[in-house]
Amino acid sequence: MKVAIIDAKDKRAIGFALRWAKHNDVNLIIGSKDEKFAIEIAEEIRNITGAPEDRVTAMKLDTAAKNANIVVLTVPFQEQIPMLEEIKEYLNENTILVDTTLPIELTDDGEPVFMQTEAGSCAQQASQILGNHVRVVSAFKPLGAECLSEIDEELTCDVIVCSDDADARKAVVNLAEKLTSLKITEGPLSFDILSEKFVATLINWNKKWGQLCNVIRVPMEGVEGSMCSCVNPFLKVCMNRGIKCLSI
């Protein structure tokens, strides 16, 4: 399994690389616009994990995108569209693009604001840009750089892996399982907006109360109606139970 992580300058990228580098069946490609930086990060990953040089390599964006089976996109919201436009010509029908983008921007006061895309969610936006020849999967959105980088600590939160392609979804679930102890729920790409709204709520609640207090799971089977009709009643239940923070 060849997995490219781009852009490596994102702090989450290093966390993903540290955890996946420990698995012999994952060949990691660290991709960045700044090739020198990618080389430095690849060397750091090898030094920390003991992974051999042929399993953790560094490449420029175009080469990384072209040579990977799975491309994990780890960029801020405002950089998602430019990055997709830059790499799309190097992706093919066998490529799986994993979108980890959260549609959140910070105000001048540092407050996180949820920014819903016209396509619905970031992964749906990626699918529109890349077209039908690239399989898009949404995953890993609740995972922050801090928890990922603590490689000796287990990740205990829930993630939703969303895609309309069952085989692509299965491949990313397999990759998610290598991150340790995640509770994984699967769904179609349309569920990505549900994940995004829950994570946006988590960020705001954690900012207000200072720490994650509870982890709650939402059963995805039988969900009907608009995403808003699903999200609002669930958050009301959480607050009625005195739950301050939500991870899904």
Side-chain angles (χ1 to χ4, degrees):
M1 180 190 304
K2 292 184 179 179
V3 179
I5 304 174
I6 57 178
D7 187 302
K9 287 200 169 184
D10 186 275
K11 292 181 179 179
R12 292 176 302 162
I14 299 174
F16 284 126
L18 285 169
R19 288 177 178 269
W20 286 329
K22 296 189 294 182
H23 297 271
N24 293 329
D25 59 341
V26 177
N27 292 316
L28 275 179
I29 302 171
I30 309 300
S32 178
K33 292 182 180 180
D34 185 343
E35 188 176 15
K36 182 180 178 181
F37 179 83
I39 291 171
E40 292 173 354
I41 292 300
E43 184 178 2
E44 179 182 345
I45 298 301
R46 292 194 297 268
N47 289 339
I48 293 173
T49 63
E53 189 171 353
D54 62 347
R55 268 208 312 107
V56 181
T57 57
M59 298 180 184
K60 293 179 68 174
L61 286 179
D62 55 349
T63 312
K66 190 183 300 182
N67 283 276
N69 308 116
I70 300 177
V71 175
V72 181
L73 185 68
T74 58
V75 294
F77 174 56
Q78 63 271 21
E79 295 179 22
Q80 186 210 26
I81 293 177
M83 181 63 75
L84 289 171
E85 294 287 358
E86 185 166 350
I87 66 171
K88 68 178 182 179
E89 66 179 289
Y90 306 107
L91 307 176
N92 59 62
E93 60 185 10
N94 295 317
T95 306
I96 298 172
L97 187 286
V98 181
D99 182 79
T100 71
T101 313
L102 275 177
I104 291 175
E105 292 185 352
L106 298 179
T107 66
D108 293 339
D109 297 327
E111 293 295 324
V113 178
F114 179 76
M115 308 288 290
Q116 185 170 332
T117 68
E118 291 185 7
S121 72
C122 287
Q124 288 172 309
Q125 179 168 266
S127 184
Q128 284 188 2
I129 293 171
L130 297 176
N132 295 330
H133 73 290
V134 177
R135 297 175 291 170
V136 174
V137 180
S138 165
F140 310 132
K141 298 202 171 183
L143 303 180
E146 184 176 346
C147 67
L148 283 167
S149 62
E150 298 291 337
I151 58 175
D152 293 327
E153 298 292 329
E154 292 190 348
L155 300 172
T156 56
C157 71
D158 294 40
V159 295
I160 304 177
V161 177
C162 306
S163 179
D164 295 331
D165 186 298
D167 290 337
R169 196 166 61 231
K170 182 178 179 180
V172 177
V173 166
N174 180 40
L175 195 59
E177 288 172 343
K178 297 180 186 301
L179 293 174
T180 76
S181 300
L182 291 173
K183 297 179 180 65
I184 302 167
T185 300
E186 298 181 49
L189 199 62
S190 60
F191 282 170
D192 184 37
I193 190 172
L194 185 62
S195 178
E196 288 181 350
K197 287 188 174 183
F198 283 164
V199 177
T201 301
L202 168 66
I203 290 172
N204 278 284
W205 285 1
N206 279 352
K207 186 175 178 63
K208 183 174 182 179
W209 280 287
Q211 62 179 351
L212 177 63
C213 301
N214 294 81
V215 177
I216 299 298
R217 301 194 70 191
V218 176
M220 301 304 293
E221 294 182 4
V223 174
E224 297 178 354
S226 70
M227 291 301 105
C228 288
S229 69
C230 300
V231 172
N232 293 337
F234 180 73
L235 296 182
K236 183 177 180 180
V237 170
C238 289
M239 288 184 283
N240 286 342
R241 293 181 181 177
I243 295 169
K244 297 179 179 178
C245 298
L246 171 69
S247 175
I248 188 164

